C-alpha cells in the first residue's frame, strides 16, 4: 500500500495555515474550558505530547490552537472549530482533516475520547501544560547517519529540538518507511551522547567530536550484532530539500480544468470534491477516474513532495482523455469521515464518481473507466462488479494475491533490510499468517480483538520483534475495520468476475506489492477475459518512478514523479480502445 504514513501528515508540513474560525460555545459547560490542556496520542511509533490552548473571544465564542510539542514545537495549528455540547468536547482541524470527540470525566478531571485522522486513536486531555522534559544543551538540529544491515545501508535521521518544555527527539529511517519514531532518554554528559528508541528496541551510546558536529558510537539492538553508527549534524540554516519535481504540471494548461463536487447517493453526508480536466477539442471524451492508495489522500495523491495523480491526469488529458481526480472522503475539501472507512466504502465513492461523469454532455458515457493505484487497485474491481457504466479498468501495482501474503512479503523485505535474519523472519511467518486469518474470519471487530489478544502473548511479541509496551496499540491497528476488509478481499475471485478491458502493470522494483507473484496471480485470474493486458515494467518502483533499489527511502530523492514509459503505456492502451473521434 502507499508508503507515506498518516502520522507524517499529522503535524509536519503545515507551517502556513489560515486563521481559525471561532464557533459559539454552549451556554452550559461542565468545566471551565479556557486555558491549556495536555494530552498524549499513543501511536505504534511512540507517544506524542499535544497541547491544546482554548480561548474565549469577546463575543463569547471559543477559539483554540493545537501544538505537537514533540514533533513541531512552537508551531501552533489553528483549530477550525471548538465546541462544548453538553458533556462533550468537539474539535475540528480542517488543515489536518482531523477531529476530536471527548466526553468529560469529572472524577479525574479529563476529556476522554478519540482523535480521528485516517484512523481513530484514543486521546485524553487533562488541564495544564504537558510535563517538562530535561533540556539537553548543544545538540539541536538534524543529525544524519547510516546503519549497515545484511549488506544494505539504511539512512537514519535524528531530529533534536529544544523548546520551553525541554528537548525532544524523533528518529526517521526512510529506507524502511519509518518516520517519527519516539526517542527517549536523550542525554549528554560531557562528550558522551546516548539515547533509546523504544519502538525499535535500540540503545545508542556515542562520543561527540570537539566541534560538536559529529558523534560516533554503538548502535545496539537485542538479538542483532552491535553496529557502529556515525551521526553528522546538518549545517546551520541548511533548509529543506530543494529536489526538483520537473513533471509537476504548472499553469497555464493546454486543456480545461474545472473544480467539481458530487454527492455519493449510496450514503449520506459524503460530498466528494475534485478536479476534472478536459481536452479542448473532441467531446464527448473518454474519461478516467483516479483512485488513490492507502491512507488519507488528496486528489493529487500527494506524497514525498510528489503529485503522481496530477502528473498522470496532465498526461492523459493532453492526449485526449478527460480525467477526474478527487479528495478521499473526509480529506481536504471532501466531506464525510475517513476514519473507519473500508475499501467497500471507497468503491461506493468511485461508483458515485462514475455516475456523476455519466450525467455530463462532454463525457462519453460508454467510455468511463477507473485507474486504481495500490489499494485503489482493490477499490476499482470492487466498484466495477455489476456496474455496467464502468467501461475499463487500469490497475497500477494492484494486489493479485491475498492481502496476508502481501503483508508477510513486505515484512520479509523490510526485515532483511533492518538486519533480521531471513530464518528468523521465516520462523515467525506462520504466526503472522494465523493472526491475519483470525482477523479476516472474525464476524466483528470485538471478536477480532479477542482473537488477536489471545494470539499476541509475550512470547509472540518477542517472536515478531514487537515491543511489549506497544501491545495494545498493535492490537488496535491490526483489528481496524479497514484492514479486516482488506484481509477478506479475494483478488482472484474478484478479478475473475471482470469481463471489461483491463490493464494491470507493476514495476519490477516494487517493494510494497511485489511484482512477480502479484502479476502472475492477476494473469491467472483474468485468463478468460478477452481483453486483458498484464505487463511488468522493468526498473520501476511502487510509485512507478525509475528507481535503483525500490526502497521507500528513494521515493523523495528521485526527481521523476511518474516514468514516461508508464504514462505512455496507460495513455496508449486507453486511446486504442476508447479514443474520441
Amino acid at each position: 500500500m502507499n508508503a507515506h504514513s498518516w502520522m507524517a501528515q499529522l503535524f509536519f508540513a503545515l507551517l502556513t495555515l489560515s486563521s481559525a474560525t471561532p464557533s459559539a460555545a454552549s451556554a452550559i459547560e461542565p468545566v471551565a474550558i479556557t486555558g491549556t490542556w495536555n494530552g498524549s496520542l499513543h501511536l505504534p511509533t511512540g507517544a506524542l505530547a499535544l497541547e491544546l490552548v482554548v480561548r474565549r473571544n469577546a463575543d463569547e465564542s471559543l477559539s483554540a490552537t493545537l501544538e505537537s510539542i514533540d514533533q513541531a514545537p512552537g508551531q501552533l495549528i489553528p483549530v477550525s472549530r471548538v465546541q462544548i455540547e453538553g458533556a462533550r468536547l468537539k474539535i475540528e482541524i480542517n488543515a489536518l482533516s482531523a477531529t476530536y470527540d471527548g466526553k468529560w470525566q469529572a472524577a479525574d478531571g479529563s476529556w476522554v475520547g478519540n482523535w480521528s485522522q485516517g484512523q481513530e486513536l484514543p486521546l485524553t486531555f487533562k488541564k495544564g501544560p504537558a510535563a517538562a522534559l530535561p533540556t539537553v544543551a548543544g545538540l539541536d538540529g538534524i543529525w544524519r547517519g547510516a546503519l549497515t544491515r545484511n549488506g544494505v545501508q539504511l539512512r537514519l535521521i535524528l531530529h533534536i529540538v529544544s523548546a520551553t518544555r525541554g528537548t525532544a527527539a524523533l528518529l526517521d529511517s526512510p529506507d524502511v518507511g519509518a518516520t517519527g519514531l519516539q526517542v527517549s532518554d536523550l542525554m549528554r554528559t560531557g562528550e558522551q551522547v546516548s539515547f533509546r528508541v523504544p519502538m525499535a528496541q535500540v540503545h545508542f551510546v556515542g562520543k561527540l567530536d570537539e566541534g560538536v558536529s559529529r558523534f560516533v558510537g554503538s548502535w545496539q539492538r537485542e538479538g542483532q550484532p552491535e553496529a557502529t553508527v556515525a551521526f553528522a549534524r546538518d549545517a546551520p540554516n541548511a533548509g529543506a530539500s530543494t529536489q526538483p519535481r520537473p513533471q509537476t504540471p504548472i499553469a497555464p494548461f493546454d486543456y480545461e480544468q474545472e473544480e467539481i463536487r458530487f454527492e455519493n447517493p449510496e450514503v449520506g453526508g459524503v460530498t466528494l470534491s475534485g478536479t476534472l480536466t478536459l481536452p479542448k477539442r473532441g467531446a464527448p471524451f473518454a474519461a478516467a477516474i483516479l483512485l488513490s492508495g492507502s491512507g488519507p489522500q488528496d486528489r493529487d495523491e500527494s506524497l514525498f513532495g510528489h503529485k503522481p495523480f496530477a502528473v498522470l491526469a496532465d498526461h492523459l488529458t493532453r492526449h485526449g482523455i478527460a480525467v477526474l481526480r478527487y479528495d478521499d472522503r473526509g480529506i481536504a475539501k471532501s466531506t464525510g469521515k475517513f476514519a473507519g472507512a473500508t475499501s467497500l466504502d471507497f468503491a461506493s465513492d468511485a461508483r458515485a464518481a462514475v455516475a456523476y461523469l455519466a450525467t455530463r454532455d462532454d463525457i462519453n458515457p460508454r467510455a468511463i473507466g477507473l485507474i486504481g493505484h495500490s489499494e485503489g487497485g482493490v477499490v476499482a474491481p470492487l466498484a466495477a462488479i455489476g456496474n455496467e457504466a464502468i467501461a475499463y479498468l487500469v490497475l497500477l501495482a494492484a494486489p493479485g494475491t491475498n492481502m496476508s501474503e502481501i503483508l508477510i512479503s513486505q515484512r520479509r523485505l523490510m526485515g532483511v533490510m533492518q538486519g533480521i535474519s531471513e530464518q528468523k523472519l521465516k520462523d515467525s511467518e506462520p504466526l503472522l499468517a494465523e493472526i491475519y486469518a483470525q482477523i479476516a474470519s472474525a464476524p466483528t471487530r470485538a471478536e477480532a480483538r479477542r482473537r488477536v489478544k489471545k494470539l499476541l502473548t509475550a512470547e509472540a511479541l518477542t517472536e515478531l520483534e514487537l515491543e511489549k509496551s506497544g501491545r495494545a496499540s498493535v492490537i488496535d491497528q491490526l483489528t481496524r475495520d479497514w484492514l479486516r476488509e482488506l484481509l477478506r478481499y479475494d483478488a482472484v475471485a474478484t478479478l475473475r468476475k471482470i469481463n471489461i478491458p483491463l490493464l494491470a502493470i507493476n514495476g519490477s522494483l516494487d517493494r510494497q506489492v511485489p511484482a512477480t507473484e502479484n502479476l502472475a496471480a492477476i494473469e491467472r485470474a483474468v485468463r478468460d477475459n478477452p481483453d486483458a493486458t498484464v505487463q511488468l515494467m522493468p526498473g520501476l518502483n511502487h510509485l512507478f518512478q525509475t528507481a535503483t533499489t525500490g526502497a521507500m527511502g528513494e521515493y523523495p530523492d528521485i526527481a521523476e514523479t511518474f516514468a514516461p514509459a508508464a504514462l505512455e503505456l496507460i495513455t496508449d492502451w486507453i486511446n486504442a480502445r476508447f479514443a474520441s473521434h
Side-chain angles (χ1 to χ4, degrees), residues 234-242:
D234 282 1
N237 303 315
S241 170
T242 56

Side-chain angles (χ1 to χ4, degrees), residues 394-430:
V394 176
L395 309 182
L396 308 178
T401 61
N402 66 55
M403 192 57 56
S404 64
E405 291 179 42
I406 292 175
L407 293 173
I408 289 171
S409 178
Q410 287 178 351
R411 178 176 178 270
R412 189 183 306 131
L413 288 168
M414 295 302 172
V416 169
M417 291 179 68
Q418 293 177 60
I420 305 172
S421 73
E422 289 190 45
Q423 188 59 50
K424 187 168 186 178
L425 289 164
K426 185 177 179 180
D427 289 346
S428 65
E429 285 173 5

